[in-house]
Amino acid sequence: MLPVVIFPDVEALILNHLRDVIPAFEGGPEPPADFKGRLPFAVVERNGGVKKRFALDQAVLAVYVYGADRASAHDRMQEVLAHIHAMPGGCLPVARTYEIAGIQYTPDPMTDEPRWYASVGVAVRPK
């Protein structure tokens, strides 16, 4: 029988870390109905990844940052990504991070709100 290996919830891990390091951080796995009153707002959503046997969960995350305008959303996106990429070595269980798709300006098609997008890989060790 193989060992039972449980990995952490990467979305929750990243969001909790961002709440700890960015003052007045607003974010979640999806934008709430009132997010326009909470800008800038970051969405961290797992949308794939692979597990490497018992050692790593290599999660692929979509990161969206909404802002009152294009510039404020951009600045918050840069801050969010900087903190995510600083996690390895100091924030267990994150082993490494890597860029999959760099930031892109993608206004929300439903609300036309200013929004930036990036795709990030986050490899975590089991609990």
Side-chain angles (χ1 to χ4, degrees), residues 2 5 12 14 17 20 22 25 28 35 47-48 51 55 57 64 72-73 75 80 83 85-87 91 103 109 113 127:
L2 296 174
V5 178
I14 297 296
H17 176 72
D20 288 345
I22 299 175
F25 175 79
F35 83 96
N47 58 8
K51 290 189 173 51
D57 177 10
Y64 298 94
S72 64
D75 292 349
V80 164
H83 283 290
H85 289 304
M87 291 176 75
C91 184
I103 68 170
E113 292 295 318
K127 289 182 179 181

Side-chain angles (χ1 to χ4, degrees), residues 33-126:
D34 68 342
F35 83 96
K36 289 182 185 181
R38 299 165 58 184
L39 297 174
F41 191 92
V43 174
V44 176
E45 171 186 76
R46 183 175 181 146
N47 58 8
V50 296
K51 290 189 173 51
K52 296 289 185 177
R53 302 262 321 151
F54 308 111
L56 289 174
D57 177 10
Q58 295 180 315
V60 174
L61 303 176
V63 180
Y64 298 94
V65 175
Y66 294 83
D69 55 43
R70 184 176 179 151
S72 64
H74 174 271
D75 292 349
R76 178 52 59 99
M77 174 63 91
Q78 292 291 355
E79 186 178 19
V80 164
L81 292 176
H83 283 290
I84 290 172
H85 289 304
M87 291 176 75
C91 184
L92 294 177
V94 176
R96 73 183 186 111
T97 64
Y98 48 97
E99 185 176 278
I100 295 171
I103 68 170
Q104 304 164 47
Y105 184 66
T106 58
D108 187 305
M110 301 298 283
T111 66
D112 205 34
E113 292 295 318
R115 179 182 77 174
W116 288 83
Y117 161 82
S119 182
V120 177
V122 178
V124 296
R125 295 182 178 92

